[in-house]
Every structure is written in C-alpha cells, then in structure tokens.
Amino acid sequence: MQLSHAARSAESSAIRDLLRHADRPDVLSLAGGLPAAELFPVATISEVAGSVLARADGLQYGLSEGDLALREIVSDGDPENVLVTTGSQQALDLIGRVVLDPGDPVVVGDPCYVGARQVLLANRAELIGVGVDHDGLDVDELESHLAGGLRPKLVYVVANFDNPSGAVLAADRRARLAALADAHDFLIIEDDPYGALRYDGDPVAPIPGDRVLRLRSASKTLVPGLRVGWVSGPQFVIDAMVIAKQAVDLHTSTVSQAIVRELLLQPGWFDQHVAGLLPWYANQRDTLVAAIAAHLPAAEFHRPDGGMFVWCRLPGSDTASVLTDAVEAGVAFVPGSAFAVDRDLTDHLRLSFATVAAAQLPVAVARLAQVVQPG
Amino acid sequence: MQLSHAARSAESSAIRDLLRHADRPDVLSLAGGLPAAELFPVATISEVAGSVLARADGLQYGLSEGDLALREIVSDGDPENVLVTTGSQQALDLIGRVVLDPGDPVVVGDPCYVGARQVLLANRAELIGVGVDHDGLDVDELESHLAGGLRPKLVYVVANFDNPSGAVLAADRRARLAALADAHDFLIIEDDPYGALRYDGDPVAPIPGDRVLRLRSASKTLVPGLRVGWVSGPQFVIDAMVIAKQAVDLHTSTVSQAIVRELLLQPGWFDQHVAGLLPWYANQRDTLVAAIAAHLPAAEFHRPDGGMFVWCRLPGSDTASVLTDAVEAGVAFVPGSAFAVDRDLTDHLRLSFATVAAAQLPVAVARLAQVVQPG
C-alpha cells in the first residue's frame, strides 16, 4: 500500500513546525504569523456567542455557500457572488481544485507565502516565481514571461502588506496586472488578510477588473481560531467552488460563521475594533524596526506600512543554517529559503512583530544578533 | 479561461439540492439527513461555550492535528493516531488526497452515501459498486471481484446503519473484509457517524485489523453545525493526512473543537445525552415504519435497528421522476438513483425519520403515497 503521488511529494512544511516553535515558552517567536491574542475581542465574542448558541437552528447543517446574512454583509451587493470558506487558506485550495489541471502554470511572487505555495503545489500547479520589490510583484518581469509565451491560469498576489515581503502592490502595477489578465486570459488571486492593518499612508484601491478572486479573512482582524474567510469573484468560478466545497467539508462551522456575522452586524463595531488595533501594531512595528537598526546594523529592509512582517536581508548570512542555534538561544524566525520559489533567498529572513510583547522585541532581536553575527 | 477537468465533470449534486427542499416550510422533508434540532444539547453547549470563549488562547491558531485534549478523549490510547477534521466529510477528502492517484479503483456499496461518492470522484477514483443486502456489503461479491484481478486501494463502508440502506455489516463479514484487506493490500474506510444511534439489538464490534481508517463525527449525536469529526488509522496515513490538512484549511475551528472537547470531558454526560436520544429516534422510526406499512403496502424494506433511514423498494416505480410532483404535494425524499453506482435503483427511495415530527410522519407518507400510487 503506497500513498498517492501527491502525498509522497508533499512538503512537510514550515508553518507546522513554526507553530511548534511558537509553543515553547522559553522561545520568543518572531516566526509565526499569529495575531496578538491580547487584542482579541473576547468579551464581545462571548456576548454575541450567547445569543448565537441559544438557538438550535444555528447548530444545524447549513448551506455550502455559507450563512446568507454573513454573505450579505461582506458582499459588494450580491451575496451569490460570495462563498464563505474555512479560513482563506481553504479558498486557495478550492480555487486550485476548480481552476487547475495538473501542470498548469501559476505565477507567484518570489518570495511567496508558504501556505499558498504548499496548497498550489498540492493542486499540482507548476509555480513560476516573479520577483518582488518594495512596490510588490515585478509586473515588468511578469510581462516579459508573458511575451516569452508563458500562459498562466492564475497569478497570486498578497497585494497589501505581502507575506513575507511587507510590500504593497503599487496602484499602477495593479492596473497593469488587470490589463495583462484581460490580454492573456488569466485570473488574479488577490489574497487580502492584512489590508485593514495599515499604520501609515493611504489605502490603495483593490485590483480592478472582473478577473479577480478576492480572498478575505477574519483571522487577522478578529480571531483566527474561528476559521472564517470569504471569497468573491467571477460567478462561474464561485459556483464551481461551492460545488467543490460541498464535497470537501459540506460547509464551514455554522457557529464560527454566526459569531463573525453577529460581530459585523453591530453598527460601527468592526471599524472601531480595527481602529483600536492600529496603534498597538504600529508600536510593535516601530519597536521591532528600532531593535533591528540597533542590533543588526547590516540588515537591509523596508519599514512596512502595515501588516505583521519585516522582511530582512542579512548579506552574507545563511539564515536557515542558524535557525537551530537561534531557537537554542531563545528566538525563532522564518528563514528566507522557506519562501523561495526559484530565487536564492538564503540571506533573507522574516520577522513578525505581531506576537511577542513590545518590551520583549529588543530582547528577541538581541538574541538573534548573537547568533547571526557572533563574537 | 476554462475550469479544471475536475470542476467541469463535478456533479452538481444531491445533498445541496436536498438542503434547499428541506428549507421550504410547506414541505415535510424525509430527504435530508438532518438530525432532530429539538434534541440538540443547546443549554449545555451554551454553558461550556461560555468558558471556552472567555479565554483568548482558545481563539488563536491551533495545530493541524487538532486540539490535543480532544484527541486524547476520543483516541483509544494514542492521540498521535487521531486527526480532527472539519466533519467526517473532510476525512474522506483527505484520505482521497493522500491515498488515491487518478483512476485508482475504490470499492463502495451500491447504493452508496452520495457525499462519499462525490468526494471520491472529486479525487479521481474509479468507483466499483458492490451490492448491499440486510447484512451490509456483499463480501462474496467483493471477493469475486478480487479473484478476477481487481486491486482496490480503498473499500468504503458505513458499517453501522448504512446510509442509505440502513444495514449493519455482519460480524463475520467484518472479519472477512479485514482478511481480504490484508491479503490484497487495501485500506478499509469505516465511516461511523451513526454507530451510537442503535435502538435495538447489540452493537457489533468495529472492523478488526490494522488497515482500518475509522471516521467518527459529532454531527449526528451532538450537533452538525460545529463541523467536528475525527479519524484514526494507520499512522503513516494519518501523518500524511495532517500535512494535507495543513494545506487545505490549516486546522478545524478551535471554538468548535473546544465545545466538543468540553462536552465530552463532562463525566458521564455524553452517554446520558445519547441515552436520551434513543427512545425519541426509536419512536420516529417506528412511526415511519408503521406509516409506510399503512400507506404504501407494496413497499419492500427492512426496519433498521438504528441510524436515520429507511431504504424502500417500490416495485415498478420510477422514484426520481415523481420527485417534483412529491415536492409539489408537500413531501421530499431522495430517489434511489441518487445513490446508485452501477446498479439500477430507479425503484428505490430513501426516507429519513430524523427530521420531521412524529405526528407529521404519517402525513408525509400519505402525501408520498398519493404521488407514487395515484388513485
């Protein structure tokens, strides 16, 4: 009895091991993308859950599309165009299932969010990495691939505060990307878990056009444990995803959906809640950035305007090779190689400012400095 | 832009449409497998949820394997051997992903649970239907397929109170099935959502041997909306499923898992709760069976010892063709053809006694009789 080809070639990955690192109490973890638990709206969730759980019909089987009232709240008008997913990770899987045949090319940033890479590979995509700079995906490079004959079915971007690069895809690149999608008949996945977490500057409008599958999530602004995300996009893709979702898990937890619905239904509550997160995260970012400047003077990075991550280059380092020593020294991070598609990102690393308390961030970076620039 | 082959060939199915039928207030639905909402332990759930939701760490990201304390409770000793899934439907999908390559043969009962058929086909299985009688899967027929050279990777059974047949796989057949799995190197999926819902007779021990993936679920005995199931089985398969689950949805709702955990942790509570369900469901079954005998004298069926379904044959009928008329007349059911793999089950239908109030069950069957044996 042999496992499937997909299972034999699956990477036992990254995020999984990271969550284990993050669990050790003696390790300050700059690795995980865990939002700060002290900001979770615990009291409000308990309150709305009381009414949700008091009704038996909220505990029954539900529709594969998701709770209609929730879809109405998060839609831009047409709830039929929205599918509720078990976190936006599931949206990526469902898109892979309904769009990709084995070997179909998919363009991703290089570096790329590890969860996207993992699920796209599980759906037998052929990944093509395109460079990322401070303005996001290098659309020139994409265009030259297209001119060279590449015909991707999907282009995946985290357009706001990319994981891991922290970059925001510039408005002109968004417009060009949309035009390329029209010209070359591909779909764009705009994964947007961090968009609301902007600490500086003005928001950039979403990628235009009607070829965008937009993924959103309750994980970063509300709580991750509920596993509630949603996706909107071209109707024929959403319709196929609903059928696929029925096969894979029938529907997302009705209790989780109802809690998110009730939170979003409270007038003004969500905006006020997010407004409360911003100064806290901004201070975290500033503290981490200052600690990097102080302890790792050779580090090259851009201060991100939002999100959770600082993407650093440490010229001459091999960040993966020092990870074990770093954990031993009481600090965890994600080495650049974990995000690499085709490029050599050995000398990069991703540092999260979301999880560790501000007072401990300089301690964490000082520990890291001891390991990457010993003596 | 064309969808994937899998999406183009997916059946827009059954369960989905059924849930819509069930939603119409004027229709008495004998179609859905919805457990009776009036038996949901709403008060106890509200109570335990209060403590679950008061702690921020219960709202954070969790491990892909699932909540450790929950896995400890439901395991037979080793929680590493258990994976928590988003309902047992997801366990079927994950098994398909890690075991099946395109075209791999999978044996299922014929009739077969529609959700299993759908997800196995989505994972590109080649389904081979084997007959089902009152003692469950016809192991003689399976054996002759094997003697003829068939080499399935999986054999799928609902061993207790099968959906739709209601059959319990006899103890001797369980032993033979396990021996065949050893001899021919296949895995058995023992899907067991209904095992605890036994109204008569003695339980039959689970399928023996170390080639069994056993799927269990909170959906039928607690509540379905939480979407919590779990699977145990050979370690190498469970390990691969954990990696696959990380890619498809990271983990199951921590809130849903914690609610189930807290319910199961209360000493004696689960057994007492189930003991309370049994007489209610037994009365439902008896009422439905009596109504069938009264209104549909030509119907051929066995009274099931448990579960939720009565599987009927109406000789000479084409049950699919009268479904629209039936819904018009105010009753829904699932035609036999929805469960068919290779066989002609046109003259069968599945009637659920779980959802409609006992007082209304005779009304529902009388409406059905008007349609299938019109004046």
Side-chain angles (χ1 to χ4, degrees):
Chain A
M1 179 75 213
Q2 197 179 34
L3 294 176
S4 66
H5 178 76
R8 296 196 309 276
S9 57
E11 7 182 270
S12 165
S13 95
I15 297 183
R16 182 171 155 75
D17 295 336
L18 299 182
L19 287 169
R20 293 194 186 277
H21 285 315
D23 262 8
R24 280 182 47 181
D26 58 319
V27 174
L28 296 173
S29 181
L30 308 176
L34 305 181
E38 54 265 57
L39 303 178
F40 291 168
V42 175
T44 315
I45 287 176
S46 289
E47 211 176 287
V48 301
S51 64
V52 164
L53 292 166
R55 290 169 37 199
D57 60 355
L59 299 168
Q60 189 53 282
Y61 281 114
L63 295 175
S64 298
E65 300 86 317
D67 182 284
L68 179 59
L70 174 59
R71 288 184 291 132
E72 280 171 346
I73 301 164
V74 301
S75 77
D76 298 324
D78 183 7
E80 289 300 309
N81 191 235
V82 177
L83 166 64
V84 179
T85 54
T86 305
S88 53
Q89 185 71 28
Q90 189 187 44
L92 291 174
D93 181 45
L94 296 174
I95 293 168
R97 284 175 175 259
V98 307
V99 170
L100 298 179
D101 287 309
D104 276 346
V106 174
V107 169
V108 297
D110 192 359
C112 176
Y113 163 52
V114 292
R117 193 184 62 187
Q118 193 184 7
V119 71
L120 290 167
L121 289 175
N123 282 289
R124 296 155 293 147
E126 172 78 23
L127 297 187
I128 294 99
V130 163
V132 173
D133 62 24
H134 189 53
D135 287 324
L137 193 80
D138 182 341
V139 177
D140 285 336
E141 185 183 330
L142 170 61
E143 197 160 13
S144 73
H145 277 298
L146 295 167
L150 179 69
R151 289 296 170 266
K153 290 188 94 168
L154 296 167
V155 172
Y156 172 80
V157 287
V158 182
N160 295 315
F161 319 120
D162 182 31
N163 177 0
S165 75
V168 173
L169 188 66
D172 63 313
R173 292 192 184 183
R174 295 182 189 217
R176 285 178 59 206
L177 185 57
L180 291 172
D182 282 337
H184 298 282
D185 194 25
F186 60 79
L187 295 171
I188 300 163
I189 304 177
E190 182 179 12
D191 190 1
D192 192 20
Y194 308 109
L197 298 178
R198 173 177 279 280
Y199 319 125
D200 297 304
D202 294 320
V204 183
I207 298 172
D210 52 9
R211 291 176 172 272
V212 182
L213 287 154
R214 189 147 182 245
L215 276 50
R216 301 189 61 191
S217 168
S219 295
K220 303 308 192 286
T221 49
L222 295 171
V223 292
L226 294 172
R227 311 302 304 123
V228 173
W230 52 93
V231 50
S232 58
Q235 194 68 51
F236 76 107
V237 184
I238 299 294
D239 290 345
M241 289 171 72
V242 172
I243 292 170
K245 179 163 171 73
Q246 185 191 15
V248 305
D249 69 2
L250 299 185
H251 63 80
T252 293
S253 165
T254 51
V255 172
S256 286
Q257 293 187 71
I259 290 174
V260 173
R261 178 193 71 213
E262 295 302 315
L263 290 175
L264 298 183
L265 274 174
Q266 304 200 12
W269 180 86
F270 181 76
D271 290 344
Q272 197 179 358
H273 169 69
V274 170
L277 304 178
L278 301 183
W280 192 94
Y281 275 120
N283 179 58
Q284 294 282 119
R285 174 200 58 180
D286 294 342
T287 307
L288 179 63
V289 162
I292 296 170
H295 295 290
L296 291 167
E300 300 171 1
F301 66 96
H302 286 275
R303 192 182 80 149
D305 288 334
M308 300 189 162
F309 305 111
V310 177
W311 177 237
C312 286
R313 181 170 175 244
L314 291 172
S317 292
D318 176 347
T319 59
S321 73
V322 300
L323 181 58
T324 309
D325 288 348
V327 170
E328 202 57 40
V331 61
F333 62 86
V334 187
S337 54
F339 305 98
V341 181
D342 302 316
R343 282 160 176 74
D344 180 358
L345 299 171
T346 310
D347 61 356
H348 281 70
L349 76 177
R350 188 194 75 177
L351 302 177
S352 162
F353 52 82
T355 315
V356 171
Q360 295 288 79
L361 282 172
V363 179
V365 178
R367 289 179 184 174
L368 179 60
Q370 285 180 339
V371 172
V372 296
Q373 44 190 30
Chain B
M1 177 78 215
Q2 197 180 34
L3 293 177
S4 66
H5 178 76
R8 298 196 309 277
S9 56
E11 10 182 85
S12 166
S13 94
I15 296 184
R16 183 171 154 74
D17 295 335
L18 300 182
L19 287 169
R20 293 195 186 278
H21 285 315
D23 262 7
R24 280 181 47 182
D26 58 318
V27 175
L28 295 173
S29 180
L30 308 176
L34 304 181
E38 55 266 56
L39 303 178
F40 292 168
V42 175
T44 315
I45 287 176
S46 289
E47 212 176 286
V48 302
S51 64
V52 164
L53 293 167
R55 290 170 39 199
D57 61 354
L59 299 167
Q60 187 56 280
Y61 282 116
L63 295 174
S64 298
E65 301 85 319
D67 183 285
L68 178 59
L70 174 58
R71 288 184 292 133
E72 281 170 347
I73 302 165
V74 301
S75 77
D76 298 323
D78 182 7
E80 288 301 309
N81 191 233
V82 177
L83 166 64
V84 179
T85 53
T86 305
S88 53
Q89 185 71 27
Q90 188 187 43
L92 291 174
D93 180 45
L94 295 174
I95 293 169
R97 284 176 175 256
V98 307
V99 171
L100 298 179
D101 288 308
D104 276 345
V106 174
V107 168
V108 298
D110 193 358
C112 175
Y113 163 53
V114 292
R117 193 185 62 187
Q118 193 184 6
V119 70
L120 290 167
L121 289 175
N123 282 289
R124 295 155 294 147
E126 172 77 24
L127 297 187
I128 294 97
V130 162
V132 173
D133 62 25
H134 190 53
D135 288 324
L137 193 79
D138 183 341
V139 177
D140 285 336
E141 186 183 331
L142 170 61
E143 197 160 15
S144 73
H145 278 298
L146 295 168
L150 179 69
R151 290 295 170 265
K153 290 188 94 170
L154 297 167
V155 172
Y156 172 80
V157 288
V158 181
N160 295 315
F161 319 120
D162 182 31
N163 176 359
S165 74
V168 173
L169 188 65
D172 63 313
R173 293 192 184 184
R174 295 182 189 217
R176 285 178 58 204
L177 185 56
L180 291 172
D182 281 337
H184 297 282
D185 194 26
F186 60 79
L187 295 171
I188 300 162
I189 303 177
E190 182 179 11
D191 190 0
D192 191 21
Y194 307 108
L197 298 178
R198 173 177 279 280
Y199 320 125
D200 297 304
D202 295 320
V204 182
I207 299 172
D210 52 11
R211 292 176 170 273
V212 182
L213 287 155
R214 188 147 184 244
L215 277 50
R216 303 189 58 192
S217 168
S219 294
K220 304 307 191 287
T221 49
L222 295 172
V223 293
L226 293 173
R227 310 301 306 123
V228 173
W230 52 92
V231 49
S232 58
Q235 194 68 50
F236 75 107
V237 185
I238 298 295
D239 290 346
M241 289 171 73
V242 172
I243 292 170
K245 178 162 172 73
Q246 184 190 17
V248 306
D249 69 1
L250 298 186
H251 63 80
T252 294
S253 166
T254 51
V255 172
S256 286
Q257 292 186 71
I259 290 173
V260 173
R261 178 194 70 213
E262 296 301 316
L263 291 174
L264 298 183
L265 273 175
Q266 303 200 14
W269 180 85
F270 180 75
D271 289 344
Q272 196 178 359
H273 169 68
V274 170
L277 305 178
L278 301 183
W280 193 95
Y281 276 119
N283 179 59
Q284 295 282 118
R285 175 201 57 181
D286 294 341
T287 308
L288 179 63
V289 162
I292 296 170
H295 296 289
L296 292 167
E300 300 171 2
F301 65 97
H302 286 274
R303 192 182 80 149
D305 289 332
M308 299 187 163
F309 305 112
V310 176
W311 177 238
C312 284
R313 181 169 175 245
L314 291 172
S317 292
D318 176 347
T319 59
S321 74
V322 299
L323 181 58
T324 309
D325 289 348
V327 171
E328 204 57 41
V331 62
F333 62 87
V334 188
S337 54
F339 305 97
V341 180
D342 303 316
R343 280 160 178 75
D344 179 359
L345 300 171
T346 311
D347 61 357
H348 281 71
L349 77 176
R350 189 193 76 177
L351 302 178
S352 163
F353 51 84
T355 316
V356 171
Q360 296 287 83
L361 282 171
V363 180
V365 178
R367 288 178 185 176
L368 179 61
Q370 285 181 338
V371 173
V372 296
Q373 44 189 29

